[in-house]
Amino acid sequence: MKQLEGRGAGGRRVLVRPYGIADRDGVRRMSDRLSATSLYTRFFSGTPYIPEHYLGLLDRLDHWDREALVALDGDEIIGSAEYVRFAKRPWCADIAVLVTDPWQRHGVGSALVARLAELAEFRGITEFGADVTLTNPGGLLFVRHGWPAARSTRDGGAARFHLPLPMPA
């Protein structure tokens, strides 16, 4: 478990650890602290809450080809990040990040992605792929901050990034 001190709202400690099956309800409760915009930019659809099929995918993690981490403020899950390795390109994995609205822009997403990148590298992944809707300036800024040299291609209303690992210092 990684601990971040003074990075959260009000200087509270935030813990980052692997997702476990007992976290299902905590992730479901995150919906109460997510705006329609945050849900749309993560799931690319107008869902009013975190979809059940997504929770099912988290429950089937193998913690090698599919990994997820959660960030906690006390007992409450305030963020999650996961990667899914490509079967035909095993050095590559798609990533996705979701942080509750009150905790956005407090370093939670960065901490989740940094730890996820460490785990991915250990497991032979050398590149993350990320799709970010063009209407998500915070997500685009997040990628540009973490990978200043990253370039994207457009795919409909999204930017597709190829993000090399390790992350730039």
Side-chain angles (χ1 to χ4, degrees), residues 103-127:
W103 283 88
Q104 291 174 11
R105 292 171 296 284
H106 288 283
V108 174
S110 296
L112 285 163
V113 171
R115 180 66 181 131
L116 199 61
E118 290 173 5
L119 292 171
E121 287 178 75
F122 176 76
R123 297 166 184 167
I125 295 171
T126 61
E127 180 181 305

Side-chain angles (χ1 to χ4, degrees), residues 11-32:
R12 294 194 302 257
R13 293 179 182 175
V14 174
L15 299 177
V16 173
R17 65 164 171 74
Y19 175 89
I21 192 109
D23 291 325
R24 182 181 240 265
D25 288 338
V27 171
R28 182 184 285 124
R29 283 192 306 273
M30 282 177 57
S31 293
D32 297 338

Side-chain angles (χ1 to χ4, degrees), residues 2-4 7 16-17 67-71 80-83 95-97 99 107-123 125 128 142-143 145-147 163-169:
K2 291 257 180 172
Q3 183 170 300
L4 302 161
R7 298 283 298 194
V16 173
R17 65 164 171 74
E67 180 64 275
L69 302 175
V70 292
S80 67
E82 72 268 1
Y83 75 69
I95 63 165
V97 180
V99 176
V108 174
S110 296
L112 285 163
V113 171
R115 180 66 181 131
L116 199 61
E118 290 173 5
L119 292 171
E121 287 178 75
F122 176 76
R123 297 166 184 167
I125 295 171
F128 279 155
F142 176 81
V143 171
H145 176 74
W147 285 269
L163 310 170
L165 297 177
M167 290 180 67

Side-chain angles (χ1 to χ4, degrees), residues 63-85:
H63 297 286
W64 190 265
D65 293 327
R66 289 188 55 92
E67 180 64 275
L69 302 175
V70 292
L72 297 108
D73 173 27
D75 293 334
E76 285 300 312
I77 295 175
I78 59 170
S80 67
E82 72 268 1
Y83 75 69
V84 178
R85 187 191 305 255

Side-chain angles (χ1 to χ4, degrees), residues 48-59:
Y49 50 83
I50 294 173
E52 284 298 315
H53 78 273
Y54 171 72
L55 295 171
L57 292 172
L58 289 176
D59 289 345

